[in-house]
Amino acid sequence: MKTMTCRQLGGPCEHPHTGETADDVIKAQDRHLREAVRAGDTSHQQAHEDMKGRWRRPVRALGWYRDAKKAFADLPSAG
């Protein structure tokens, strides 16, 4: 298990996301951004828009995805 924060994934806060894989953490970040914006947290609005843009343009977003996966791989395992 490894942990990355919302900020490490491009968001505005230190909310931790823990998962076995980078994809687990990225999906948790996507849920976090959606929930924060739905709850009225405007500080997460830009990151939420960026996230939606990544899923609409996956080829262009590949660089962000590779960077996130590398950052996850470089983290020490918890435990």
Side-chain angles (χ1 to χ4, degrees):
M1 297 287 271
K2 296 182 180 185
T3 300
M4 292 182 79
T5 66
C6 175
R7 187 175 315 279
Q8 287 174 300
L9 292 163
C13 75
E14 295 300 323
H15 181 81
H17 303 295
T18 302
E20 291 289 334
T21 68
D23 289 330
D24 293 340
V25 172
I26 290 167
K27 288 176 186 174
Q29 170 76 343
D30 291 350
R31 282 190 304 273
H32 168 67
L33 294 174
R34 277 193 307 274
E35 291 168 4
V37 169
R38 193 175 308 134
D41 183 344
T42 58
S43 69
H44 284 75
Q45 184 66 42
Q46 185 59 52
H48 182 253
E49 291 299 320
D50 293 345
M51 179 266 297
K52 289 191 313 187
R54 279 193 299 275
W55 296 124
R56 287 184 199 130
R57 295 177 223 59
V59 173
R60 192 163 72 170
L62 196 54
W64 177 89
Y65 181 69
R66 285 183 188 149
D67 291 346
K69 286 188 70 143
K70 182 179 180 337
F72 182 86
D74 290 345
L75 291 171
S77 294

